[in-house]
Amino acid sequence: LKSGGIAFTENKGQVSDQNNKPRPDVLFGGTANGMVFHLRNNGISYQLNRVDSWKTEDTLLNSYYRMLPEEKRKIPDQITTYRVDVNWLNSNIDFKIIYDDSVLGYTNYYHEVCPNGVHYVKTYTGVTYKNIYNGIDLHYYEKGGVLKYDYIVAPYSNYKQIQLEIKGAEKITLQKDGLILIKTKEY
C-alpha cells in the first residue's frame, strides 16, 4: 500500500460509536483524503470534520533528545462533524464479502469498547459485496487516491434493484455529467 493510499480495515470489534458502544454493523473502515468512511452491512457512512476555531498551545519540541525553546502551535479548538449515510434499500442480507489483496501485516486494538484487545486485524486494498442485490455486486476500491465504487451488474440482471437512501445531506443534485453532488449543512 503506497503512502496515503486508501485501505479497508476489517472490524473485529474495535469500532464503536461516540458513546463507546460496539458497532457490529460496521464491516470495514478507513480514511480517504481527510474523510472517514465506514462500510456497513446495509450501506456506507461518510464523516467529515470542519475546524471552526483554532487555539495555540505551548509546546516543548524535542529534537535528538535536545530541548528546544518553547514554541506555540495551532491545534483545533472547536470541530463540527458532518455525517452522511447512504443506505442500500431492499438489499440482500446474505451477501458475501470478497477481499482484494491484503496489506502486509496486521493491527491490534485496545480501546474502551474492546479492553481485552482485538488482535490480528487485517486491512485490504478493496472489498466486494458479492450479490448485494440479485445478480449485482458492489466493489469498493481506491483509484488515483480517491475512494471509488462500482456496481457490477450481471447480464440480464435488473439494475433498478439498486435503491439508495441518503441521510444527513442538506441538498442532493444530479449534475450534467451524471455525478451526484451531496452537500452537507454548512460544509
Side-chain angles (χ1 to χ4, degrees):
L1 184 69
K2 62 184 181 261
S3 177
I6 298 168
F8 303 82
T9 302
E10 66 183 338
N11 177 19
K12 291 177 68 177
Q14 77 274 13
V15 177
S16 66
D17 66 11
Q18 66 273 20
N19 299 312
N20 289 312
K21 302 290 183 216
R23 289 291 307 266
D25 62 315
V26 173
L27 305 181
F28 299 92
T31 60
N33 301 315
M35 173 185 68
V36 174
F37 65 88
H38 288 102
L39 289 168
R40 299 177 282 113
N41 60 8
N42 65 344
I44 184 170
S45 297
Y46 301 100
Q47 184 174 303
L48 301 157
N49 294 316
R50 182 187 72 202
V51 177
D52 298 316
S53 63
W54 296 85
K55 65 182 177 182
T56 57
E57 179 181 81
D58 292 335
T59 182
L60 291 175
L61 300 176
N62 186 340
S63 175
Y64 302 105
Y65 304 104
R66 260 189 359 221
M67 298 306 286
L68 297 177
E70 236 179 73
E71 187 175 290
K72 301 229 184 238
R73 70 175 182 166
K74 288 177 75 170
I75 61 170
D77 181 43
Q78 178 69 37
I79 297 174
T80 301
T81 300
Y82 299 94
R83 180 174 146 179
V84 174
D85 294 322
V86 179
N87 300 316
W88 309 317
L89 300 179
N90 304 311
S91 62
N92 293 328
I93 58 172
D94 60 346
F95 58 83
K96 294 187 181 201
I97 297 291
I98 307 295
Y99 305 98
D100 288 4
D101 294 334
S102 66
V103 174
L104 194 59
Y106 58 86
T107 306
N108 297 319
Y109 291 90
Y110 296 89
H111 297 306
E112 186 174 330
V113 71
C114 56
N116 295 325
V118 173
H119 307 107
Y120 304 104
V121 177
K122 302 272 306 170
T123 298
Y124 301 92
T125 59
V127 293
T128 299
Y129 286 70
K130 186 85 175 151
N131 206 42
I132 192 74
Y133 291 100
N134 295 333
I136 300 173
D137 302 338
L138 177 54
H139 182 221
Y140 280 91
Y141 60 100
E142 178 263 339
K143 183 175 181 181
V146 177
L147 177 63
K148 296 280 198 175
Y149 66 90
D150 294 326
Y151 284 97
I152 303 159
V153 181
Y156 309 107
S157 296
N158 184 359
Y159 71 90
K160 291 183 179 180
Q161 295 176 86
I162 302 169
Q163 300 173 31
L164 305 177
E165 173 188 50
I166 300 173
K167 291 185 171 185
E170 184 173 269
K171 185 177 181 181
I172 303 170
T173 307
L174 180 60
Q175 298 180 170
K176 289 180 182 178
D177 59 5
L179 296 176
I180 297 173
L181 179 64
I182 300 172
K183 183 178 182 207
T184 60
K185 186 177 182 175
E186 298 180 28
Y187 196 81

